[in-house]
Amino acid sequence: MAGLDVGGIASGTVPRFDGAESVLLATGILGATVMPHVIYLHSSLTSAHTRGIGAASGARPGPGTGLRPGADHRVLLGSVRRDVLVGLGLTGLANAAMLVIAARVFHPSGLPADTIGDVHGGLAWALGQGAALAFALALLASGFASSSVGTYAGQVNMSGFLGRSLPLTVRRGITLPPIMAVLFAGVDPTSALVWSQVVLSFGIPFALVPLILLTRSRTVMGPLANRRLTTAAASVVAALVLGLTAYLIWQTLSG
């Protein structure tokens, strides 16, 4: 409905920044897409898949895994890889669509887009109520998904690292009051949303670096250890994330 500028989209795929604010937004998108707690959560989801694959294959359980060494592990790896690629691929397309719409609808017209309410109203004015409703439903679905994933990841991390498990109602009672306090204090929801994603991005190196070190180890992974090229590529990505985070912290403190 907004129309596409194919040349502009191609040009926009080239990474570049325009001041500290653009770095803040880019870091927020990174944190919202690759949430560090979900990296830990994938390990638990993998274990859940493991039991299903082992049972379905009629395999004789291996030591502590329920899988046949090698064969079922490769089936499991392929399943998880597809899950991650599809999930992150759809997330990337959704983020790209939002950026394209912002560039086509809000930037040339000068419509305000400082808050979520501004975006909703601008879409209704420029593209009709259907577009505004789609944005509202997408935002609601995103909130439900983020909340459920965060709760599940918290349960997995607590049980895995601390050996403790709290009932769902108790976890909700602990996590909801800070959020409500921010809203009732009059903090701008859009700014709070952006900064929450930035804080998430700060946690990515603490999940990404151990992940690289573990998956490159043949002692841990056996024949499924990363190839050297995979480790090198992952290390470059981790270095870029660390550099982006360090630059943002420096810009924030110096500015």
Side-chain angles (χ1 to χ4, degrees):
M1 292 173 64
L4 292 176
D5 178 0
V6 178
I9 292 175
S11 173
T13 59
V14 179
R16 54 185 178 270
F17 299 110
D18 183 17
E21 187 175 357
S22 66
V23 178
L24 174 70
L25 293 175
T27 308
I29 291 175
L30 183 65
T33 305
V34 189
M35 296 180 287
H37 53 283
V38 178
I39 295 178
Y40 294 110
L41 177 58
H42 279 154
S43 296
S44 176
L45 295 177
T46 300
S47 298
H49 286 308
T50 297
R51 291 190 294 271
I53 290 177
S57 65
R60 182 180 179 181
T65 65
L67 293 180
R68 295 172 299 175
D72 283 333
H73 284 99
R74 293 188 182 279
V75 173
L76 174 62
L77 178 62
S79 175
V80 173
R81 180 181 290 149
R82 287 192 296 271
D83 288 347
V84 172
L85 288 177
V86 170
L88 288 182
L90 292 175
T91 301
L93 289 175
N95 279 330
M98 288 189 288
L99 292 173
V100 169
I101 290 174
R104 292 288 293 178
V105 174
F106 292 92
H107 181 69
S109 64
L111 288 171
D114 296 326
T115 67
I116 294 174
D118 289 340
V119 174
H120 182 268
L123 287 174
W125 180 83
L127 302 178
Q129 291 295 334
L133 178 60
F135 173 75
L137 291 176
L139 195 63
L140 182 63
S142 174
F144 281 137
S146 178
S147 177
S148 60
V149 167
T151 301
Y152 192 11
Q155 172 188 334
V156 167
N157 288 342
M158 283 194 66
S159 61
F161 290 112
L162 303 179
R164 298 176 181 273
S165 180
L166 295 177
L168 176 62
T169 53
V170 175
R171 291 201 305 274
R172 281 294 187 204
I174 295 173
T175 57
L176 281 180
I179 300 171
M180 302 306 296
V182 169
L183 294 177
F184 283 118
V187 178
D188 177 53
T190 306
S191 297
L193 178 64
V194 172
W195 277 104
S196 70
Q197 306 305 331
V198 171
V199 170
L200 274 179
S201 72
F202 290 165
I204 292 178
F206 297 99
L208 198 57
V209 173
L211 183 68
I212 296 172
L213 294 177
L214 290 172
T215 54
R216 69 185 289 270
S217 170
R218 290 200 171 273
T219 303
V220 176
M221 299 297 296
L224 296 180
N226 286 344
R227 298 183 179 91
R228 290 184 177 180
L229 180 60
T230 303
T231 300
S235 299
V236 170
V237 172
L240 290 173
V241 172
L242 286 168
L244 185 64
T245 304
Y247 176 76
L248 177 61
I249 293 174
W250 177 76
Q251 284 282 346
T252 302
L253 296 178
S254 63

